Amino acid sequence: MTIAAAARQVLTMIELPRRRAVAGIIAVALAVAGPAAAADCGPDKLGVSRTLELGTKGGLQVGLKTYPAAIPLADHEVVLTFDDGPDERTTPQILTALADQCVRATFFAIGRKLDEQPVLARREVAEGHNVAHHTYTHPQPTLTFMPESAARADILKGMIAVERDAYGRDFSAGEPTDLARLRLHAPFFRFPGFADTADLRRWFADNNVAIFGTDLWASDWVPMTPEAELKLILGRLDKVGRGMLLFHDDKPWTAAMMPVFLNELKRRGYRVVHVVAGPGTGPTFPAPAGWVSETGRVTGALKPRLDQGVPARPAGPFTVGPAPAE
């Protein structure tokens, strides 16, 4: 058993309130285990081809599904991102798959789940990943249809959870009530459902926080077999040849697919770019001529249902029509 595995096994025997108190010790154990694991990161692994510093000064909006700008990637370069975790069942499987291929990613975590799984949060950081921001509750309906004060409060609470649970910040003297007073380790935010507002975009810009959409998604919010998801995402990726990819680390089909997917990236000649926060602004790459947002229509389709008093999350599928381009 490795040091990292032994440390995580010990943590499972500690009740939740005490886990936060010893999370820093576990992070050190994982960091010690890291160099040994790095010796296995030879040319047979997918690895990380380069690390790109993305400046967030004055805000940033990237991801062609929603915004007319993208992270500048060369042909066959990808950025890996995961939403909605951590999950005690599936996130460890995904982390193991990433570690086995020496790959780093960005996790847009839900603050409430981090409070429940601080050990996983610290593991993500210790293994070299970004833990970024995705609100505290992942509210339904989306932030678009909430009062701005409530939306900001949920976002800020989620950011505090990330800083405390993932990065070990001490808020015993009091939690900040203003984003301007909260220096983020990973100043990246993804809107749940990609449903943003002009006010929230300005708020992030004023506080040097980048907004991430995505270029490609695996549609893994829909239950499917791992084989179906693999075929779907590889087909979309091969069509365009590059991009930021979105998965969800709380989906069992994604967790089961991930080892095969990473092997396929290696076999097909794709290279992983790890994005970190850097100084200044950008860089970004402009959208192609004729670009249109694909995610705005989803939010727009939801509003009439809310106006009529229909639940935001219906019991059955909510069809908004096929995407204009996949």
Side-chain angles (χ1 to χ4, degrees):
M1 180 180 292
T2 66
I3 295 174
R8 289 190 290 270
Q9 182 172 326
V10 169
L11 261 292
T12 63
M13 297 183 289
I14 301 175
E15 59 272 18
L16 179 59
R18 292 183 60 200
R19 290 184 191 179
R20 295 194 182 98
V22 298
I25 298 173
I26 296 304
V28 171
L30 292 172
V32 169
D40 299 327
C41 293
D44 59 318
K45 304 295 186 181
L46 177 60
V48 172
S49 65
R50 65 185 177 105
T51 297
L52 174 62
E53 290 190 346
L54 198 61
T56 66
K57 184 178 180 180
L60 190 72
Q61 300 169 21
V62 289
L64 294 174
K65 288 291 187 184
T66 308
Y67 305 109
I71 296 170
L73 299 172
D75 182 52
H76 275 64
E77 285 189 333
V78 298
V79 172
L80 303 181
T81 70
F82 296 86
D83 282 8
D84 290 3
D87 183 280
E88 63 181 342
R89 303 158 303 164
T90 52
T91 301
Q93 298 176 53
I94 288 173
L95 288 172
T96 297
L98 295 173
D100 286 346
Q101 285 291 339
C102 305
V103 168
R104 295 194 295 276
T106 297
F107 289 84
F108 290 91
I110 296 174
R112 173 184 56 80
K113 291 186 176 182
L114 288 175
D115 280 347
E116 296 168 355
Q117 298 292 333
V119 178
L120 278 177
R122 296 305 292 272
R123 177 183 172 184
E124 288 171 351
V125 172
E127 294 182 3
H129 307 292
N130 296 323
V131 180
H133 309 282
H134 199 48
T135 73
Y136 189 80
T137 65
H138 201 290
Q140 294 288 341
T142 61
L143 296 172
T144 299
F145 305 116
M146 294 172 63
E148 184 183 356
S149 60
R152 289 192 182 196
D154 195 271
I155 292 168
L156 186 63
K157 186 175 182 181
M159 288 176 166
I160 290 169
V162 169
E163 291 299 310
R164 177 182 60 241
D165 297 327
Y167 296 103
R169 291 276 296 276
D170 181 4
F171 294 111
S172 58
E175 297 178 354
T177 57
D178 186 348
L179 179 54
R181 299 176 54 199
L182 184 62
R183 295 193 56 161
L184 302 174
H185 282 80
F188 303 154
F189 181 85
R190 180 174 277 152
F191 280 91
F194 305 101
D196 63 5
T197 71
D199 287 336
L200 291 174
R201 291 196 303 269
R202 282 192 296 269
W203 185 48
F204 286 135
D206 290 343
N207 289 282
N208 304 317
V209 175
I211 301 170
F212 277 55
T214 195
D215 301 322
L216 295 163
W217 49 48
S219 300
D220 58 349
W221 52 83
V222 178
M224 66 182 86
T225 66
E227 294 77 14
E229 184 179 353
L230 180 68
K231 180 179 179 180
L232 183 153
I233 188 59
L234 287 175
R236 292 174 176 174
L237 178 57
D238 284 343
K239 184 176 180 180
V240 296
R242 74 191 75 189
M244 174 171 31
L245 310 182
L246 166 63
F247 301 96
H248 291 77
D249 60 302
D250 64 339
K251 305 305 182 189
W253 39 92
T254 296
M257 180 208 69
M258 194 53 53
V260 182
F261 172 71
L262 296 175
N263 279 323
E264 276 298 304
L265 287 184
K266 173 70 174 176
R267 189 180 72 83
R268 297 179 186 216
Y270 286 98
R271 303 176 303 280
V272 173
V273 174
H274 184 49
V275 177
V276 298
T281 60
T284 62
F285 191 81
W291 172 89
V292 293
S293 170
E294 292 185 34
T295 56
R297 68 185 175 83
V298 178
T299 303
L302 179 61
K303 185 151 192 333
R305 299 176 64 89
L306 297 173
D307 292 342
Q308 296 167 18
V310 179
R313 181 175 285 174
F318 175 34
T319 301
V320 296
E326 291 288 345

